[in-house]
Amino acid sequence: MTATVIDGKEFAARVRGRVAQHVTRLKDDHGITPGLAVVLVGEDPASQVYVRSKGKMTAEVGMKSVEHRLDADTSEADLLALIDQLNNDPEIHGILVQLPLPKHLNENLVINSVNPAKDVDGFHISNVGLLGTGQKSMVPCTPLGCLMMLRDHHGSLSGMNAVVIGRSNIVGKPMAQLLLGESCTVTIAHSRTRDLPDVVRRADIVVAAVGRPEMVQGDWIKQGATVIDVGINRLDAPEKGEGKTRLVGDVDYASCAKRAGAITPVPGGVGPMTIACLLANTVTACCRANGLAEPEGLTA
Ligand code: NDP
């Protein structure tokens, strides 16, 4: 069997296209421009790249994009004051504080200081609780992107066995909640799981969010299963030249693609969907803030 490749790059472009259409409608019909503020503290190189591309794509779909770059030694009080200002800014509908934060800042405190209605990352404790109880919430972008791709590929996911590898607050746990919401039978695996290959072999859907390069092997995959690879791992690639690197997922693509029915590649799978879902969440937040109908199919 050769797996169908789920093209996240193409899918994300479609999502961004729908977001852009909705932004145009909000502007033309209601005179509202959705606004997204991104706050970056410090100079983490990977975060700088993410923030730059978030800003670029926000502007490309016609939304207002605001960036706040703060020094690495910014005090907690100053950061909280900025968040408070953004919480009260009617032109800002989404606020994203880029993680990780420098060590001296209390990440939970900062996340929970964002107005839950503007929490487009879906990390605020209120949104976590709403998602866990099956209520309307802001849904974390990466799991939302995975869910959109799964729904698009399968239609109904009801009754399928899903194994999520990883139990982080930003990917594994919300992913499991979303799959439960789709009536999957969900198993969450983690570093203490016994006989992981055997657990994964029972899955119709495997979501790997581990942070271990190419860990999931082809002989763990049930014939025809759908494999969603969230992992982003940068490995040295001396074959490409000195100092060069390459990106790999948490899934050994070559062996898994031989058994899977469908699989997401890395790069070009889940990654592009994450930013597309951030934009989708911002439009959703803007519609909710203004009591307008939300765009269909852009949230869970
Ligand atoms: P975390 O490090 O927060 O969580 C990793 C999880 O994997 C933990 O629950 C851990 O278990 C589990 N784990 C670690 N080793 C094993 C093992 N040997 N067997 C089974 N489970 C294991 O990572 P994140 O959830 O933040 O990210 C996961 C991956 O996804 C990373 O590669 C990250 O770069 C990528 N990512 C990609 C995004 C995208 O946009 N595509 C967005 C966010 C993340 P335990 O809890 O027991 O320690």
Side-chain angles (χ1 to χ4, degrees):
M1 171 177 276
T2 307
T4 301
V5 180
I6 300 178
D7 184 345
K9 215 170 150 188
E10 187 269 336
F11 197 113
R14 264 193 283 152
V15 171
R16 291 198 306 274
R18 284 176 42 215
V19 169
Q21 276 174 2
H22 214 82
V23 170
T24 304
R25 216 169 304 149
L26 282 168
K27 285 181 179 172
D28 292 352
D29 297 353
H30 304 282
I32 300 168
T33 303
L36 173 65
V38 177
V39 180
L40 174 63
V41 187
E43 266 120 46
D44 179 66
S47 295
Q48 290 194 336
V49 173
Y50 290 137
V51 167
R52 211 172 307 130
S53 76
K54 281 167 188 168
K56 184 170 162 270
M57 291 196 181
T58 306
E60 271 172 17
V61 295
M63 298 201 284
K64 175 176 162 150
S65 165
V66 179
E67 266 176 43
H68 291 272
R69 289 170 182 266
L70 307 180
D71 292 339
D73 60 0
T74 297
S75 71
E76 201 162 84
D78 284 348
L79 177 57
L80 294 177
L82 171 62
I83 292 172
D84 188 51
Q85 180 198 317
L86 296 170
N87 281 341
N88 291 302
D89 184 339
E91 291 190 3
I92 296 298
H93 304 94
I95 303 169
L96 180 146
V97 182
Q98 184 66 44
L99 303 178
L101 290 170
K103 292 276 174 284
H104 68 284
L105 299 170
N106 179 337
E107 215 157 84
N108 283 332
L109 181 74
V110 171
I111 289 169
N112 291 324
S113 71
V114 174
N115 176 348
K118 296 190 179 188
D119 168 39
V120 281
D121 250 342
F123 295 161
H124 190 288
I125 192 75
S126 299
N127 283 315
V128 175
L130 290 168
L131 178 64
T133 49
Q135 300 180 68
K136 198 188 259 192
S137 64
M138 295 307 303
V139 179
C141 304
T142 301
L144 178 59
C146 297
L147 180 69
M148 282 185 188
M149 291 194 284
L150 283 167
R151 277 181 177 161
D152 185 67
H153 187 72
H154 286 284
S156 170
L157 307 178
S158 179
M160 295 177 91
N161 279 336
V163 172
V164 179
I165 317 174
R167 55 175 164 179
S168 71
N169 291 336
I170 63 168
V171 190
K173 282 183 200 153
M175 187 73 245
Q177 294 286 5
L178 289 171
L179 291 167
L180 204 53
E182 299 292 308
S183 299
C184 291
T185 302
V186 182
T187 304
I188 307 177
H190 45 77
S191 66
R192 309 291 171 89
T193 297
R194 291 201 191 122
D195 201 353
L196 182 62
D198 204 42
V199 172
V200 174
R201 273 183 206 113
R202 284 180 245 143
D204 304 307
I205 294 170
V206 182
V207 180
V210 191
R212 296 192 179 263
E214 299 174 328
M215 185 186 82
V216 177
Q217 296 295 307
D219 64 355
W220 302 12
I221 302 298
K222 178 164 127 179
Q223 282 290 347
T226 298
V227 178
I228 304 290
D229 189 354
V230 180
I232 301 179
N233 308 286
R234 196 168 279 286
L235 299 183
D236 290 338
E239 72 280 3
K240 288 165 85 181
E242 206 188 306
K244 295 283 183 199
T245 58
R246 66 190 172 99
L247 285 185
V248 299
D250 291 340
V251 166
D252 178 41
Y253 185 86
S255 64
C256 290
K258 287 189 186 138
R259 307 247 313 186
I263 188 166
T264 60
V266 176
V270 175
M273 286 299 288
T274 297
I275 296 187
C277 288
L278 171 69
L279 305 177
N281 276 350
T282 305
V283 167
T284 299
C286 177
C287 292
R288 288 180 188 170
N290 289 284
L292 299 169
E294 293 170 28
E296 265 178 43
L298 290 184
T299 190

